Amino acid sequence: MEELDAARRFADRWLASLPDRPVGVPADPAALRSALGDLPDDGLPAAGVLDDLAAALEPGLVSSGGPRYFGFVTGGTLPVALAADWMVAAADQDAAVAVMSPAAAVVEEVAGGWVLDLLGLPGDAAVGFATGAQTANIACLAAARHALLAGVGHDVEADGLIGAPPVTVLLGAAAHATVVQALRLLGFGARHAVRVPTDAQGRLLPEELRSALAAAPGPVLVCAQAGQVNTGACDPLDEIAALVRAREHTWMHVDGAFGLWAAASPARRHLVVAADRADSWAVDAHKWLNVPYDSALTVVRDRAALAAAMSVSAPYLPLGDLDPSTRTLENSRRARGIPVYAALRALGRRGVADLVDRCCDLARRAADRFAAHAEVLNDVVLNQVLVRFPGVDVAQLARAVAEDGTCWVGTTVWDGAPALRFSVSNWSTTAADVDVSVDRILALAVELSGRGAGGPA
Ligand SMILES: *Cc1c(COP(=O)(O)O)cnc(C)c1O
């Protein structure tokens, strides 16, 4: 098909350019807009549309899937997962209900089961394929809301939160913003949530949780996390689980967007020990598993609670346990289990462990190289490194790094002051990529500190 040939031409060119093209070069939105042209009265030949589109997009594309993109927590795409994603688009299955695509439903069942196995989560938990940890967090916490309120005799799906018994929400002070967003959307309110103090790495302090639990009157939702977005630190899930399991009407959620993948590595699973004692888990696939956007998993121990929170009801839409939409916010959606399946089958257990370990080892390597000239702020337990440079404005440094184009890094605020975030999450990143990037960042920092000290502007 001519159209697919055009897509293939673009993909080959783009992917081949990733190792060498400048990373994250800023583009002018106005120029991008005008390059995209107008809506024609009469349509244009498809292959030409695609070639023109590729040319128009090119200046605004960021090589975030390339080996030297260290911003946010950004996975690339394994070639096998990319190819599987093309198959998803070609087959164009609606994964909402099994009758529309038995294949999509069963592949999600199989791939979901493999993820539970790799992450050491209960084998009979419900798995829904979500668009990201954001929507996975929402679905998990909706299941929690259902179960906690059902436990005190309130039907939240029928009656809403008006007149509902109060639920105490406890979450770590360093919880991810998307958990707060989920709490807002579910009617718990951001301000209502009690922020439990954390240690210097952002780990929830069990003693603080113990007193917060003792002070809470009714049902309690505890939001823990595996993989703090800045430090990579994992909450002490074993101690949290022990406290939660000793109390009635308590639900433990784990936001494990990237950190739960530590469980797939024999060398690192001690970081998330007892994760399986929680009630729900949000896990990204598009970050550390390196499948294309958008892909994550909602995992809930109590299948009925998730189904109660997610199911829709209509006479034309009879739903059963095989129907994926009983586990997702979305109704119609793409068969995003297929690329997850392909990635896992091509990697195998050892391949997933190796992907996790390689990224962690490279983060350690980056930290050691940074440490000679800068302050590494976190214990590098996973794939995240936080750095500060004496006498250097971090925002200015990040801009200089972006303009230089060797690599891309983000910024954050940690412990009250700005810091550079360096995240290694891409299957294709090598030691050489890390070395050249860290050296470039250090050289730019030296240049900037020279200017700050009164050198040439
Ligand atoms: C990235 C991240 C999220 C949000 O995930 P999306 O895939 O962007 O929706 C939530 N929690 C943590 C800890 C994360 O790192």
Side-chain angles (χ1 to χ4, degrees):
M1 212 187 282
E2 215 189 337
E3 291 88 341
L4 294 183
D5 291 340
R8 177 67 193 255
R9 277 195 298 280
F10 162 77
D12 281 338
R13 204 170 55 237
W14 172 254
L15 295 173
S17 78
L18 281 181
D20 303 314
R21 56 184 280 128
V23 186
V25 180
D28 172 19
L32 290 172
R33 262 176 229 121
S34 79
L36 289 168
D38 300 318
L39 174 65
D41 289 330
D42 298 308
L44 301 170
V49 167
L50 293 168
D51 286 334
D52 291 349
L53 176 60
L57 293 174
E58 172 88 24
L61 293 177
V62 174
S63 44
S64 48
R68 291 185 309 283
Y69 190 85
F70 303 105
F72 307 95
V73 182
T74 305
T77 293
L78 292 160
V80 69
L82 165 61
D85 206 58
W86 284 11
M87 290 163 64
V88 170
D92 193 27
Q93 305 289 283
D94 186 335
V97 285
V99 72
M100 292 185 76
S101 181
V106 173
V107 85
E108 290 193 359
E109 196 179 78
V110 170
W114 290 353
V115 171
L116 295 179
D117 180 351
L118 286 169
L119 302 186
L121 300 180
D124 55 354
V127 180
F129 280 74
T131 52
Q134 168 72 89
T135 49
N137 276 325
I138 295 169
C140 287
L141 297 188
R145 187 180 68 162
H146 167 86
L148 288 171
L149 287 171
V152 290
H154 184 82
D155 180 348
V156 72
E157 280 72 36
D159 298 324
L161 284 177
I162 296 164
V167 173
T168 302
V169 179
L170 305 177
L171 78 160
H176 196 266
T178 55
V179 176
V180 178
Q181 164 79 324
L183 293 170
R184 262 169 36 198
L185 287 167
L186 290 166
F188 288 122
R191 195 170 19 226
H192 175 71
V194 178
R195 305 306 290 257
V196 180
T198 46
D199 70 10
Q201 301 297 316
R203 283 179 302 227
L204 200 149
L205 289 165
E207 280 316 307
E208 299 282 352
L209 179 65
R210 184 195 299 277
S211 15
L213 278 170
V220 180
L221 169 58
V222 175
C223 300
Q225 77 182 341
Q228 206 285 333
V229 76
N230 292 306
T231 64
C234 300
D235 284 346
L237 301 177
D238 48 349
E239 292 173 75
I240 295 170
L243 293 169
V244 166
R245 298 277 78 109
R247 189 186 185 282
E248 271 200 315
H249 301 303
T250 309
W251 180 287
M252 174 175 170
H253 172 64
V254 178
D255 175 7
F258 65 97
L260 261 184
W261 288 100
S265 150
R268 293 186 165 79
R269 65 175 59 124
H270 62 95
L271 294 168
V272 292
V273 71
D276 62 312
R277 297 186 68 199
D279 296 292
S280 59
W281 305 262
V283 191
D284 261 321
H286 55 218
K287 286 179 179 168
W288 225 343
L289 187 59
N290 279 253
V291 304
Y293 294 107
D294 34 25
S295 185
L297 294 91
T298 299
V299 183
V300 177
R301 180 192 297 277
D302 180 345
R303 303 181 71 89
L306 183 61
M310 294 296 115
S311 284
V312 294
S313 168
Y316 82 99
L317 205 59
L319 294 178
D321 199 45
L322 186 61
D323 295 309
S325 76
T326 58
R327 294 178 284 277
T328 61
L329 291 172
E330 297 89 348
N331 189 52
S332 297
R333 73 182 164 84
R334 70 206 314 273
R336 55 175 69 87
I338 292 175
V340 171
Y341 170 93
L344 292 176
R345 185 120 161 121
L347 289 168
R349 273 179 216 284
R350 265 193 282 279
V352 177
D354 180 60
L355 174 58
V356 169
D357 287 335
R358 249 184 312 128
C359 290
C360 293
D361 292 345
L362 290 173
R364 178 76 262 161
R365 184 184 181 98
D368 290 344
R369 221 170 165 93
F370 275 127
H373 306 279
E375 189 191 355
V376 174
L377 305 173
N378 63 318
D379 294 342
V380 181
V381 291
L382 283 182
N383 57 338
Q384 305 296 114
V385 187
L386 276 184
V387 201
R388 246 176 236 146
F389 303 81
V392 177
D393 180 275
V394 168
Q396 216 182 347
L397 176 58
R399 271 197 306 278
V401 171
E403 275 160 30
D404 171 77
T406 303
C407 67
W408 202 92
V409 285
T411 62
T412 189
V413 171
W414 187 250
D415 203 14
L420 210 68
R421 294 177 76 252
F422 190 97
S423 170
V424 188
S425 313
N426 189 304
W427 67 278
S428 69
T429 301
T430 64
D433 288 313
V434 166
D435 291 352
V436 73
S437 301
V438 172
D439 289 352
R440 198 67 204 119
I441 295 169
L442 287 170
L444 290 164
V446 168
E447 262 176 51
L448 287 174
S449 69
R451 279 187 221 170

